[in-house]
């Protein structure tokens, strides 16, 4: 059973930084594609950053240049470094794992963490 445990959310002011972490098992890390999504109440969940099938990162246009996704293959942790945060980045952030690439979005088989809230005040 795949388990994803997120941490690192919080409240910051505009321009601040946060680092989200997603811990999972070695088996999940080696067999699943992983990434970060976010959701605002009343809107659909959207892709933020994923690790593509060739190991390269893929970012949403809205976060390119500000966010960075990274895998720690020793500790089996997926990170999302978020810099220059804006109020529009306020959302619940979810770690995701799927047996296919998440580059084009999630699927019915996508496994989700419990989510961690990020709030950016102006």
């Amino acid at each position: 059973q795949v388990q994803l445990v997120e941490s690192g959310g919080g409240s910051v002011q505009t321009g601040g930084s946060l680092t989200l972490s997603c811990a999972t098992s070695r088996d999940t890390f080696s067999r699943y594609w992983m990434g970060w999504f976010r959701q605002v109440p009343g809107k659909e969940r959207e892709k933020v950053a994923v690790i593509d099938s060739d190991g390269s990162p893929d970012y949403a246009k809205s976060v390119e240049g500000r966010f960075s996704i990274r895998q720690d293959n020793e500790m089996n942790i997926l990170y999302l470094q978020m810099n220059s945060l804006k109020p529009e980045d306020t959302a619940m952030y979810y770690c995701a794992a799927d047996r296919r690439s998440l580059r084009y979005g999630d699927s019915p088989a996508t496994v989700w963490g419990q989510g961690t809230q990020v709030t950016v005040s102006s």
Side-chain angles (χ1 to χ4, degrees), residues 2-4 22-35 51-53 55 71-78 96-101:
V2 176
Q3 287 190 318
L4 308 171
C22 174
T24 188
S25 69
R26 182 178 297 277
D27 182 68
T28 299
F29 225 61
S30 63
R31 296 171 59 189
Y32 285 73
W33 302 117
M34 298 189 68
I51 302 294
D52 207 349
S53 53
Q71 286 188 175
D72 185 329
N73 293 321
E74 293 293 324
M75 300 298 293
N76 305 315
I77 298 175
L78 182 73
D98 202 304
R99 288 187 179 272
R100 68 163 184 77
S101 173

Side-chain angles (χ1 to χ4, degrees), residues 14 20 26 59 69 76 80 98 112:
T14 297
L20 305 184
R26 182 178 297 277
Y59 299 98
I69 187 171
N76 305 315
L80 183 67
D98 202 304
W112 302 99

Side-chain angles (χ1 to χ4, degrees), residues 9-69:
S11 297
V12 296
Q13 292 188 327
T14 297
S17 298
L18 283 172
T19 301
L20 305 184
S21 301
C22 174
T24 188
S25 69
R26 182 178 297 277
D27 182 68
T28 299
F29 225 61
S30 63
R31 296 171 59 189
Y32 285 73
W33 302 117
M34 298 189 68
W36 291 96
F37 288 68
R38 66 187 181 188
Q39 188 170 25
V40 175
K43 293 189 176 182
E44 290 190 1
R45 190 147 33 188
E46 64 172 359
K47 183 189 77 176
V48 176
V50 302
I51 302 294
D52 207 349
S53 53
D54 62 357
S56 62
D58 182 67
Y59 299 98
K61 295 291 185 189
S62 59
V63 307
E64 268 186 336
R66 301 187 297 121
F67 289 15
S68 177
I69 187 171

Side-chain angles (χ1 to χ4, degrees), residues 98 100 106-111:
D98 202 304
R100 68 163 184 77
D106 60 300
S107 76
T110 300
V111 180

